């Protein structure tokens, strides 16, 4: 019995040691980025200390004002908020229709939609560019937003349909008897019950849109419309030798989405388990 306990103790200790090492390899680059963003150029190259000798918060002010990073940041906030809102609204309507309504070709439409998940984004760059060009949406905010929204719809519909399929039909029947419309059932009953799945989609699509670079590279050329990741490319080209400013820009791009993830991470597993994995 003692040997068994000792073996289990050693296994747990080894597991925790491995997890600590993996965590440090993930956290240390972020810590180094934060520390470097508060140093001077001379301190980065001459001192090996992890913490800055003097905390130069002016690097962030310079990045926001002089390097136009504030504009890139606000653009990303706009794209993320509007893109996530329309992804949730359109996908929830479509998913509810696929789950609860009967119409011709429902299964075909659904599987064709899901099949688009197999197509990587770079594989549609040429037709996407031609389509946006013909619609006069190249280098426009709405053109980039439409790309973001269409890119997130397929998975969102798949996840929410699995969740709506699991909702008890008795609740909807009782609501219909009480005079509630089909849209009223969707708005007042289905959506509130789907909060875990919706929270999961908020996190996943926020991460995707905030960190997206390739679509913004293809669609946008105007600096005033660029999101933060596209702006980082311009920012790096201008301040490539000024490492404190570059690290400050990277920190500004990283911290908001990390905060969102930490606040809402508990909903990821809960949402997926109660949605797509239930069918």
């Amino acid at each position: 019995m003692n040997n068994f306990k000792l073996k289990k103790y050693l296994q747990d200790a080894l597991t925790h040691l491995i997890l600590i090492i993996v965590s440090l390899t993930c956290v240390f680059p972020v810590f180094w980025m934060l520390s470097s963003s508060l140093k001077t150029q001379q301190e980065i190259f001459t001192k090996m200390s992890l913490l800055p000798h003097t905390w130069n918060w002016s690097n962030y002010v310079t990045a926001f004002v002089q390097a136009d990073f504030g504009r890139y940041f606000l653009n990303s906030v706009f794209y993320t908020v509007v893109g996530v809102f329309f992804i949730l609204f359109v996908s929830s309507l479509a998913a509810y229709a696929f789950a609860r309504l009967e119409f011709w070709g429902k299964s075909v439409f659904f599987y064709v939609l899901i099949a688009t998940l197999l197509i990587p984004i770079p594989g549609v760059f040429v037709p996407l560019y031609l389509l946006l060009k013909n619609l006069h949406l190249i280098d426009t905010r709405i053109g980039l937003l439409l790309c973001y929204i269409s890119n997130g719809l397929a998975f969102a519909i798949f996840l929410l349909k699995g969740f709506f399929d699991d909702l008890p039909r008795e609740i909807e029947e009782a609501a219909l008897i009480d005079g509630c419309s089909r849209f009223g059932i969707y708005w007042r009953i289905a959506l509130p019950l789907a909060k875990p799945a919706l929270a999961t989609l908020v996190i996943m699509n926020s991460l995707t849109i905030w960190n997206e670079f390739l679509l913004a590279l293809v669609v946008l050329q105007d600096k005033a419309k660029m999101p933060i990741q596209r702006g980082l490319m311009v920012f790096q080209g201008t301040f490539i030798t000024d490492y404190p400013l570059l690290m400050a820009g990277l920190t500004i791009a990283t911290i908001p989405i990390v905060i969102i993830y930490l606040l809402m991470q508990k909903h990821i597993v809960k949402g997926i388990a109660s949605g797509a994995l239930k069918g």
Side-chain angles (χ1 to χ4, degrees), residues 124-134 138 218-219:
V124 298
F125 276 173
V126 174
L128 179 63
Y129 182 85
L130 294 175
L131 176 62
L132 292 176
K133 184 178 180 181
N134 291 332
I138 289 292
V218 172
V219 177

Side-chain angles (χ1 to χ4, degrees), residues 28-98:
F28 180 76
V30 178
F31 174 79
W32 182 84
M33 177 183 67
L34 288 170
S35 176
S36 299
S37 70
L38 296 170
K39 294 180 179 179
T40 62
Q41 183 85 333
Q42 182 181 2
E43 190 177 356
I44 287 179
F45 287 102
T46 58
K47 296 182 180 180
M48 299 299 294
S49 60
L50 292 178
L51 294 174
H53 181 68
T54 56
W55 297 66
N56 294 288
W57 296 101
S58 59
N59 291 334
Y60 288 91
V61 177
T62 303
F64 255 96
V65 179
Q66 181 180 335
D68 242 3
F69 214 81
R71 178 182 295 176
Y72 302 144
F73 182 86
L74 293 176
N75 285 340
S76 272
V77 171
F78 170 75
Y79 292 133
T80 302
V81 171
V82 176
V84 170
F85 172 79
F86 278 102
I87 287 173
L88 294 183
F89 181 65
V90 176
S91 64
S92 60
L93 284 172
Y96 185 77
F98 280 122

Side-chain angles (χ1 to χ4, degrees), residues 103-114:
F103 53 90
W104 182 86
K106 181 174 78 170
S107 297
V108 174
F109 288 139
F110 179 72
Y111 288 119
V112 169
L113 180 69
I114 298 305

Side-chain angles (χ1 to χ4, degrees), residues 186-199:
Y186 153 80
W187 186 255
R188 295 185 176 90
I189 298 175
L191 274 187
L193 292 176
K195 282 182 179 178
L198 293 174

Side-chain angles (χ1 to χ4, degrees), residues 167-186:
L167 294 180
R169 291 185 178 272
E170 291 78 6
I171 298 178
E172 296 184 6
E173 292 171 357
L176 286 172
I177 293 174
D178 289 339
C180 189
S181 65
R182 180 62 69 177
F183 182 81
I185 295 173
Y186 153 80

